[in-house]
Amino acid sequence: MRRTDRLFDLILLLRDGRLHRAEDLARQLEVSVRTVYRDMETLQLSGVPVAGERGMGYMMTAPITLPPLNLTLVELEALHLGMAIVGEVADQELQRAAQSLSAKIDAVLPEDRTTPPTGWGFAVYPFKDAAGGFRFMPQLRTAIRSRQKLSITYATADDTPSERIIRPLQMEYWGRVWTVSAWCELRGDFRMFRADRIRALKPLAELFVEERGKSLADLHARETST
C-alpha cells in the first residue's frame, strides 16, 4: 500500500474517537507496528488532531468533518497557489492557518507518491517554492498531454544552470513542491525535475512517441522494482 493511502486509511480508522492500539492498527493495515508508530508521528507533526504515544494507543481528539474529495492536479495547483499567496502576504494568524491547512492536506492526499528524493521531508518546503513552480505549469501540462518535447534551463541544487531536452511524462506533488518526471535526453535516463528550479522553458516542434524503455510505464516498472 502506498504511504499516503495508508495515512488516509489511518485517519478513517481513528475517526470513531476510540482508543486504538498500534498492534490492532498494524493488523488491520497489514503493516508492522513500527510502521504505525512512524505514520502516527507523521500525522501528529502534520497537524492532524491525534493524541497518544507508543505503548498507550492513539485516538482522534477532534472531528474531521470534511468528506473525501477527489482533486485533479489543476485543482490542487489552484488550492496551493491560494495558500501560497496567503502564506506570503497575509497577517501572522492567517499565515499559520494556511501552513496548518497545507500540512493537513499533505497528510491525507490519496495521490500516487513513490519514494521521494533523498532529503525531501514531508511538507517541509516553504510556500514560495510551490508558488515558484507555477510559472511553467500550463506549458508542462500541455506538453504531457500532447507528448511534446521541451527544452528547459534547469538549476541544480547549487543553482548551476543546465540545458536539457526532456520528454515530460507526469507531474507529481511532494508536500508543496511540484516535480515533473521525464526522460532526459542529456542523461539518457529518467529524471525528476523540480518545477520551481526550471528557469526557462521552450516547447519544441518535435513530438515524441512511445519507445521501449522511455515511457511512463517503464518508469513505473522501475520504481516498483526498487
Side-chain angles (χ1 to χ4, degrees):
M1 180 185 294
R2 297 168 300 191
R3 186 170 187 242
T4 46
D5 289 342
R6 191 173 65 245
L7 292 172
F8 185 73
D9 287 346
L10 270 174
I11 290 176
L12 293 180
L13 291 172
L14 295 170
R15 287 178 68 178
D16 60 8
R18 299 177 181 176
L19 185 67
H20 293 263
R21 298 190 313 152
E23 293 80 2
D24 296 332
L25 294 171
R27 184 170 57 255
Q28 293 182 69
L29 297 176
E30 298 182 346
V31 297
S32 68
V33 173
R34 181 177 297 180
T35 296
V36 171
Y37 287 152
R38 289 197 300 263
D39 288 348
M40 298 308 298
E41 290 174 356
T42 296
L43 291 177
Q44 290 171 330
L45 291 173
S46 298
V48 178
V50 175
E53 59 185 51
R54 300 185 180 193
M56 300 296 295
Y58 299 90
M59 65 182 298
M60 192 79 71
T61 59
I64 299 179
T65 57
L66 286 177
L69 297 175
N70 293 317
L71 301 180
T72 66
L73 288 178
V74 179
E75 291 170 339
L76 192 58
E77 176 185 341
L79 176 63
H80 278 82
L81 178 58
M83 288 190 292
I85 295 172
V86 173
E88 292 297 320
V89 303
D91 59 69
Q92 291 187 355
E93 183 178 5
L94 286 178
Q95 287 177 352
R96 289 193 296 269
Q99 292 167 359
S100 175
L101 175 59
S102 182
K104 292 175 182 178
I105 293 172
D106 294 341
V108 299
L109 272 178
E111 293 285 341
D112 184 10
R113 299 293 179 264
T114 54
T115 304
T118 301
W120 289 23
F122 192 84
V124 296
Y125 278 82
F127 285 108
K128 63 181 180 181
D129 288 342
F134 293 135
R135 178 182 177 187
F136 296 112
M137 285 286 199
Q139 296 98 314
L140 289 168
R141 292 197 306 266
T142 299
I144 290 172
R145 288 195 296 264
S146 61
R147 296 185 178 180
Q148 186 173 29
K149 289 187 178 182
L150 298 174
S151 173
I152 65 171
T153 302
Y154 186 74
T156 58
D158 60 358
D159 209 32
T160 301
S162 175
E163 302 297 325
R164 309 288 185 96
I165 293 179
I166 64 172
R167 303 181 180 198
L169 300 175
Q170 73 175 7
M171 298 193 68
E172 303 100 352
Y173 173 70
W174 300 90
R176 304 187 193 130
V177 173
W178 285 88
T179 64
V180 55
S181 291
W183 176 265
C184 177
E185 298 199 348
L186 175 65
R187 303 302 184 192
D189 201 357
F190 296 110
R191 288 291 187 270
M192 181 181 289
F193 300 95
R194 278 180 52 172
D196 60 299
R197 289 184 179 171
I198 297 177
R199 300 293 182 255
L201 182 152
K202 178 182 178 182
L204 301 178
E206 184 180 359
L207 303 180
F208 63 89
V209 296
E210 292 281 338
E211 290 187 39
R212 187 171 184 177
K214 300 181 181 180
S215 69
L216 182 60
D218 293 315
L219 174 61
H220 287 169
R222 178 186 295 187
E223 292 172 342
T224 303
S225 63
T226 56

